[in-house]
């Protein structure tokens, strides 16, 4: 039977795994990528990692999230006891699976409708629980967003598409050049700073608090043209904030410069760690870099992925594929999550070994 899970690692992390395996006390950072429904495939892994597995350690762990990754990491912060991780992540999966927005027959819902509905869903999950998220005894949450500059400083019916076209052209020349149009803004737990610098791209950090948690979460998930921008978030510079995946699709950050000797444990839905959303078509930017030297990346095996419904991971195209047949889409996504219990089981088995022979990133 084909293995479901592959374990990749950067050079430093690979040597460490070969010598002593992977222990929960080794983990210092956990990134969670943007990618929409693809993130559902990691739900059983999330349940296990933030439940039973990390409970065997005591260290502070930084949780970095963009888009659905932000929702996943905020969910982890709701579980102050290991036993709470499973129901919290199960709720996330069910809420995400059953997304449904009103629209005219044969047409997609408007960005305003999706933003309103998605914002309400986040309020149902996190409303009144902000202090719970921000007081976790061990997890330190960092939510990634993209703040518009120039033509993108405020959302507008013609300036926004023109601004994104300009950002696309700038990014094709240089990722740093895109900073003229989109700034990385990280909303961070005030108790502990990020353990690595953000000098690879135009960036700023803002304190995460009860007043801006829901707005930052909604902004981090606000895909341009699918959802509306979130404007003027409390405690942050004025402007339009969009999906954190635009600047940091897969959070390809300078983990190698991280303060401390720990590793970065990265449950991901693919091997490649793509820097920004506009880099998806730029294959030369998909290669591993020295930034990932201390990263341990968990990803599904491509052959196993082909055994899932529609021979692929859940993705946004399924909204069009299934149209108004929400029940069929939900069934396919739920089956994919059920099948991904194998990812959890194979990770647990690997962690019981004294050594792990990881594949190079």
């Amino acid at each position: 039977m084909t293995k479901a899970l592959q374990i990749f690692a950067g050079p430093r992390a690979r040597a460490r795994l070969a010598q002593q395996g992977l222990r929960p006390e080794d983990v210092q950072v956990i990134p969670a990528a943007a990618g929409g429904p693809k993130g559902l495939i990691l739900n059983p892994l999330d349940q296990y990692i933030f439940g039973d597995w990390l409970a065997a350690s005591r260290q502070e762990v930084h949780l970095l999230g963009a888009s659905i990754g932000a929702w996943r990491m905020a969910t982890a912060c709701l579980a102050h006891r290991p036993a709470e991780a499973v129901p919290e992540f199960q709720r996330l999966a069910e809420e995400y699976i059953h997304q449904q927005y009103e629209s005219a027959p044969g047409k997609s819902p408007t960005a305003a409708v999706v933003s309103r509905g998605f914002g309400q869903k986040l309020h149902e999950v996190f409303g009144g629980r902000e202090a719970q998220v921000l007081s976790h005894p061990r997890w330190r949450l960092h939510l990634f967003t993209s703040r518009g500059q120039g033509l993108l400083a405020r959302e507008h019916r013609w300036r926004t598409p023109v601004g994104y076209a300009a950002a696309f052209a700038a990014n094709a020349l240089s990722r740093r050049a895109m900073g003229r149009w989109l700034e990385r803004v990280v909303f961070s737990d005030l108790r502990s700073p990020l353990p690595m610098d953000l000098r690879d791209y135009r960036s700023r950090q803002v304190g995460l608090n009860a007043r801006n948690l829901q707005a930052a979460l909604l902004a981090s998930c606000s895909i341009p043209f699918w959802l509306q921008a979130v404007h003027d978030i409390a405690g942050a510079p004025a402007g339009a904030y969009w999906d954190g995946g635009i600047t940091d699709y897969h959070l390809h950050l300078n983990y190698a410069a991280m303060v401390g000797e720990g590793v970065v444990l990265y449950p991901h839905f693919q091997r490649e760690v793509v820097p920004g959303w506009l880099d998806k078509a730029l294959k030369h930017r998909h290669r591993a870099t020295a930034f990932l030297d201390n990263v341990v990346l968990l990803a599904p095996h491509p052959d196993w992925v082909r055994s899932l419904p529609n021979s692929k991971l859940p993705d946004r195209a399924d909204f069009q594929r299934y149209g108004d047949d929400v029940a069929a889409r939900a069934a396919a996504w739920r089956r994919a999550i059920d099948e991904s219990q194998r990812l959890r089981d194979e990770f647990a088995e690997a962690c019981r070994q004294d050594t792990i022979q990881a594949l190079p990133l």
Side-chain angles (χ1 to χ4, degrees):
M1 180 182 291
T2 301
K3 280 209 171 273
L5 180 70
Q6 291 183 302
I7 300 178
F8 300 93
R12 193 188 342 161
R14 197 162 67 252
R16 181 174 183 152
L17 295 180
Q19 183 178 34
Q20 63 182 47
L22 181 64
R23 304 169 302 190
E25 60 267 27
D26 296 335
V27 177
Q28 188 174 349
V29 171
I30 298 179
K38 295 186 184 76
L40 292 172
I41 209 73
L42 304 171
N43 194 269
L45 267 174
D46 287 339
Q47 293 176 33
Y48 176 70
I49 289 169
F50 290 106
D52 294 340
W53 193 65
L54 281 175
S57 61
R58 294 290 178 267
Q59 79 281 12
E60 174 182 279
V61 182
H62 293 267
L63 311 184
L64 286 53
S67 201
I68 190 175
W71 190 356
R72 287 171 51 213
M73 296 300 97
T75 296
C77 293
L78 289 171
H80 284 215
R81 293 179 297 177
E84 295 170 344
V86 171
E88 291 292 355
F89 278 106
Q90 286 177 334
R91 180 182 182 184
L92 183 159
E94 288 303 307
E95 298 285 8
Y96 201 97
I97 282 172
H98 288 101
Q99 287 182 81
Q100 186 175 8
Y101 305 101
E102 293 183 3
S103 63
K107 293 188 176 182
S108 298
T110 66
V113 166
V114 178
S115 284
R116 187 165 54 249
F118 192 73
Q120 179 58 40
K121 183 58 62 182
L122 291 178
H123 180 72
E124 290 172 9
V125 175
F126 295 101
R129 305 174 82 190
E130 293 88 352
Q132 187 176 342
V133 172
L134 297 170
S135 64
H136 194 285
R138 295 179 58 198
W139 312 152
R140 302 294 181 257
L141 182 63
H142 307 274
L143 305 178
F144 282 64
T145 68
S146 304
R147 175 175 171 254
Q149 307 288 298
L151 289 172
L152 295 175
R154 313 295 294 185
E155 191 167 30
H156 185 271
R157 63 185 181 86
W158 66 261
R159 283 196 295 266
T160 298
V162 172
Y164 270 105
F168 184 92
N171 183 69
L173 294 173
S174 161
R175 174 164 159 75
R176 280 182 177 270
M178 191 176 69
R180 165 67 180 80
W181 300 99
L182 291 156
E183 175 185 48
R184 169 198 287 151
V185 179
V186 186
F187 290 81
S188 291
D189 189 319
L190 292 169
R191 294 174 294 172
S192 187
L194 275 169
M196 80 285 292
D197 68 63
L198 297 174
R199 287 178 290 182
D200 63 298
Y201 185 82
R202 178 175 178 170
S203 306
R204 74 171 74 212
Q205 284 185 265
V206 172
L208 185 62
N209 56 51
R211 291 178 60 223
N212 62 26
L213 173 65
Q214 287 192 56
L217 264 175
L218 178 57
S220 189
C221 296
S222 292
I223 304 165
F225 310 111
W226 284 65
L227 285 85
Q228 294 177 320
V230 178
H231 288 85
D232 305 334
I233 298 175
Y241 290 77
W242 277 282
D243 196 308
I246 304 169
T247 55
D248 292 282
Y249 190 40
H250 294 164
L251 299 161
H252 193 130
L253 306 175
N254 190 6
Y255 301 111
M258 190 170 72
V259 176
E261 296 300 319
V263 300
V264 176
L265 179 63
Y266 197 159
H268 197 17
F269 44 78
Q270 63 182 48
R271 175 181 180 173
E272 296 79 18
V273 182
V274 181
W277 189 80
L278 297 178
D279 296 322
K280 289 198 296 182
L282 305 177
K283 300 298 184 183
H284 63 284
R285 294 189 188 171
H286 296 195
R287 296 190 293 266
T289 69
F291 281 11
L292 308 182
D293 187 42
N294 55 346
V295 171
V296 177
L297 186 141
L298 314 176
H301 194 291
D303 289 343
W304 175 78
V305 170
R306 284 189 279 272
S307 73
L308 299 177
N310 304 310
S311 301
K312 65 176 184 62
L313 299 177
D315 60 33
R316 264 201 331 273
D318 289 335
F319 286 105
Q320 282 75 42
R321 176 189 291 268
Y322 291 100
D324 294 333
D325 194 349
V326 178
R329 171 171 55 79
W333 286 5
R334 189 175 291 106
R335 183 184 147 200
I337 294 172
D338 289 343
E339 293 292 332
S340 65
Q341 303 286 342
R342 286 184 56 194
L343 299 175
R344 176 202 61 194
D345 295 343
E346 291 179 19
F347 174 69
E349 177 59 29
C351 291
R352 287 191 283 268
Q353 307 306 312
D354 293 332
T355 66
I356 296 174
Q357 299 302 314
L359 297 166
L361 269 172

